[in-house]
């Protein structure tokens, strides 16, 4: 029962006030005309004239939930009222309100058909019954057209404003999604930096700590050298981690004081790897130059990750680092004489991060067993966007 009651249409506050106003104007204007200009007894509006007024006004209580039904009832009652010769009160306002409402709310064909049909039916009846048409018929059709056109204009304006709001909301959603995407990319970049920094330096610390323990009694000087390397490497690790995590701290903290690491720190990476017991040969080909910041960072992190894998996984005694500067490309190659792999290597976090970093700047990564044994990593990065991918490569 409660569900049934909720399904019954209810009048809105606006519909209630419109209905009361139109009822008062219709009945009041008719009574006023009777007082000023009495009509013959056979044309008095009581009771059928007032009944038609109620039939025209009361349905407007449901103007909002049932516009088509209310329009048909109200306009029909108003149309029937006038040809019967009752005093010309303001009951026609019910027709005006409903024609405007129908067109304004998108029931265009129904509204236009009802308005024109009402005008044609009234004048056709008077012409057939009386042999003439009222002179004010032209004015009436003008007002009908004005009402219908006004409803169209207001509807068009409302649709345009709605579309404009939707465009603004879509633009706001796009901006929010872009901010979320950038935040996600930044978190991913920070995660890669933390992985690269910790994996490389902790590997060196682990190797040096083992060396120090082994040589503590037999060769204290070499043990001291290993401990010195541990101290320097741990300090560098702390500095880099502090710089990375500083991005996530309060906004009033000072900006980073040092630039992002680049290929100008290759010597430090190579020296750290040598301290871990792996002999490294460094070869630079082409004129050295400062690369764009994004490319510079990717090249450094790729080299750092490759050397970390040499120390941790390869079991190599010698590695070779080759950096080639071409007009449009920079290539970083790291190879070793270690165990290598059989077939393609498993894609761990390091190799996956290396590929993702290179892809972001338009580069590519090739990893796999080297000819003659060992393992080889080649990272090719474009300079200033790089050439077309379809061109020949050396």
């Amino acid at each position: 029962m409660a569900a049934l009651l909720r399904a019954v249409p209810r009048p809105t506050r606006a519909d209630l006030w419109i209905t009361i106003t139109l009822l008062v104007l219709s009945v009041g204007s008719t009574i006023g005309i009777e007082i000023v200009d009495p009509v013959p007894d056979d044309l008095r509006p009581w009771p059928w004239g007032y009944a038609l007024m109620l039939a025209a006004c009361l349905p407007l209580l449901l103007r909002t939930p049932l516009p088509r039904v209310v329009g048909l009832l109200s306009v029909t009652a108003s149309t029937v009222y006038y040809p019967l010769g009752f005093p010309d009160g303001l009951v026609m306002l019910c027709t005006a309100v409903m024609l405007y409402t129908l067109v304004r709310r998108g029931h265009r064909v129904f509204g236009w058909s009802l308005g024109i049909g009402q005008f044609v039916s009234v004048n056709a009846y008077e012409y057939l019954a009386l042999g003439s048409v009222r002179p004010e018929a032209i004015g009436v059709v003008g007002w009908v057209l004005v009402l219908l056109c006004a409803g169209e204009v207001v509807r068009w304006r409302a649709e345009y404003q709605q579309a404009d709001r939707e465009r603004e909301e879509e633009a706001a959603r796009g901006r929010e999604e872009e901010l979320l995407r950038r935040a996600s990319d930044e978190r991913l970049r920070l995660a890669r930096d933390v992985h690269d920094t910790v994996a490389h330096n902790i590997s060196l610390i682990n190797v040096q700590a083992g060396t120090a323990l082994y040589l503590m009694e037999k060769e204290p000087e070499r043990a001291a050298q290993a401990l010195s390397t541990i101290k320097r490497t741990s300090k560098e690790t702390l500095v880099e981690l502090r710089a990375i995590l500083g991005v996530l701290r309060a906004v009033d903290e000072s900006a980073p004081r040092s630039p992002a690491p680049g290929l100008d720190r290759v010597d430090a990476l190579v020296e750290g790897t040598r301290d871990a017991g792996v002999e490294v040969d460094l070869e630079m080909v082409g004129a050295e130059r400062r690369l764009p910041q994004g490319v510079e960072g990717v090249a450094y992190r790729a080299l750092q990750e490759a050397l970390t894998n040499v120390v941790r996984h390869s079991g190599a005694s010698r590695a070779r680092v080759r950096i080639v500067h071409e007009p449009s490309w920079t290539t970083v190659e790291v190879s070793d004489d270690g165990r290598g792999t059989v077939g393609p290597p498993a894609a761990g976090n390091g190799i996956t991060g290396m590929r993702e970093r290179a892809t972001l700047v338009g580069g590519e990564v090739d990893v796999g067993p080297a000819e003659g044994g060992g393992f080889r990593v080649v990272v090719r990065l474009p300079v200033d966007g790089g050439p077309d991918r379809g061109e020949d490569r050396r």
Side-chain angles (χ1 to χ4, degrees), residues 61-108:
L61 288 169
L62 301 178
R63 181 181 67 101
T64 297
L66 300 172
R68 286 175 176 261
V69 176
V70 172
L72 185 62
L73 294 175
S74 181
V75 172
T76 300
S78 300
T79 302
V80 171
Y81 176 88
Y82 285 96
L84 296 179
F86 297 127
D88 292 344
L90 297 178
V91 67
M92 188 56 67
L93 290 176
C94 297
T95 296
V97 170
M98 285 314 304
L99 291 179
Y100 171 83
T101 299
L102 287 169
V103 177
R104 164 66 180 82
R105 296 190 178 174
H107 307 284
R108 302 174 60 211

Side-chain angles (χ1 to χ4, degrees), residues 192-193 195-197 199-201 203-204 240 261-274 278 280-284 288 291 294-312 319-325 330-336 350-351 353-355 357-358 364-367 375-381:
R192 292 177 185 143
D193 286 347
H195 170 269
D196 292 345
T197 299
H200 177 75
N201 292 337
S203 296
L204 296 181
E240 288 202 39
L263 291 180
D264 54 344
R265 296 174 59 178
V266 170
D267 292 337
L269 284 177
V270 170
E271 189 62 31
T273 306
R274 287 172 180 161
V278 179
V280 181
D281 298 327
L282 175 61
E283 180 184 1
M284 308 289 286
E288 295 186 37
L291 302 176
V295 177
E296 190 88 20
V298 172
Y300 174 83
R301 293 302 183 189
L303 178 58
Q304 184 183 53
E305 177 62 29
L307 291 176
T308 299
N309 290 336
V310 170
V311 173
R312 294 177 63 187
R320 179 170 177 262
V321 176
R322 188 169 182 262
I323 300 175
V324 181
H325 293 284
T330 292
T331 303
V332 177
E333 179 180 347
V334 179
S335 57
D336 62 65
I351 293 178
M354 195 185 303
R355 292 188 194 278
R357 287 176 183 275
E364 57 189 25
V365 176
D366 181 24
V367 296
F375 196 76
R376 178 172 172 266
V377 175
V378 179
V379 181
R380 300 188 77 251
L381 304 172

Side-chain angles (χ1 to χ4, degrees), residues 51-365:
L52 288 173
M53 291 182 203
L54 292 176
C57 295
L58 292 181
L60 269 76
L61 288 169
L62 301 178
R63 181 181 67 101
T64 297
L66 300 172
R68 286 175 176 261
V69 176
V70 172
L72 185 62
L73 294 175
S74 181
V75 172
T76 300
S78 300
T79 302
V80 171
Y81 176 88
Y82 285 96
L84 296 179
F86 297 127
D88 292 344
L90 297 178
V91 67
M92 188 56 67
L93 290 176
C94 297
T95 296
V97 170
M98 285 314 304
L99 291 179
Y100 171 83
T101 299
L102 287 169
V103 177
R104 164 66 180 82
R105 296 190 178 174
H107 307 284
R108 302 174 60 211
V109 175
F110 188 81
W112 279 87
S113 300
L114 199 60
I116 295 175
Q118 182 255 6
F119 171 78
V120 171
S121 61
V122 169
N123 287 278
Y125 172 81
E126 290 187 347
Y127 181 79
L128 294 174
L130 305 176
S132 63
V133 178
R134 296 188 185 189
E136 60 268 20
I138 301 300
V140 172
V141 72
W143 279 109
V144 170
L145 294 175
V146 167
L147 284 170
L148 295 173
C149 290
E152 292 281 8
V153 170
V154 175
R155 181 184 60 81
W156 289 338
R157 185 171 183 272
E159 290 179 353
Y160 174 80
Q161 291 176 336
Q162 178 64 24
D164 194 45
R165 285 193 296 270
E166 291 176 356
R167 284 194 296 270
E168 291 179 355
E169 292 173 359
E170 183 65 26
R173 283 194 296 269
R175 289 191 296 269
E176 183 177 356
E177 290 173 359
E178 177 65 16
L179 291 175
L180 292 176
R181 185 190 65 78
R182 290 183 179 180
S184 177
D185 290 345
E186 182 65 15
R187 287 194 295 269
L188 182 59
R189 185 190 67 81
L190 291 173
R192 292 177 185 143
D193 286 347
V194 170
H195 170 269
D196 292 345
T197 299
V198 172
H200 177 75
N201 292 337
I202 295 301
S203 296
L204 296 181
I205 291 172
N206 179 66
V207 172
Q208 293 297 325
T211 302
L213 287 174
Y214 180 75
L215 300 174
M216 185 69 71
E217 296 181 359
K218 296 181 180 180
E219 300 182 47
E221 293 182 359
R222 290 185 59 187
Q225 183 181 0
L227 291 174
S228 177
T229 302
I230 290 175
K231 179 181 179 181
R232 186 186 73 250
T233 305
S234 61
K235 181 179 180 181
E236 292 175 356
T237 304
L238 289 174
V239 169
E240 288 202 39
L241 285 177
R242 191 175 293 116
I244 293 171
L245 298 177
V247 178
L248 305 176
R249 288 201 292 262
V251 296
D252 22 341
E253 289 194 3
S254 59
R257 297 184 178 87
S258 60
L263 291 180
D264 54 344
R265 296 174 59 178
V266 170
D267 292 337
L269 284 177
V270 170
E271 189 62 31
T273 306
R274 287 172 180 161
D275 291 340
V278 179
E279 188 60 36
V280 181
D281 298 327
L282 175 61
E283 180 184 1
M284 308 289 286
V285 180
E288 295 186 37
R289 62 183 181 278
R290 185 68 181 180
L291 302 176
Q293 184 175 359
V295 177
E296 190 88 20
V298 172
Y300 174 83
R301 293 302 183 189
L303 178 58
Q304 184 183 53
E305 177 62 29
L307 291 176
T308 299
N309 290 336
V310 170
V311 173
R312 294 177 63 187
H313 307 301
S314 69
S317 60
R318 179 175 292 273
R320 179 170 177 262
V321 176
R322 188 169 182 262
I323 300 175
V324 181
H325 293 284
E326 300 175 275
S328 299
W329 295 87
T330 292
T331 303
V332 177
E333 179 180 347
V334 179
S335 57
D336 62 65
D337 61 357
R339 291 185 295 268
T341 61
V342 178
N349 290 333
I351 293 178
T352 300
M354 195 185 303
R355 292 188 194 278
E356 291 175 348
R357 287 176 183 275
T359 301
L360 287 176
V361 297
E364 57 189 25
V365 176

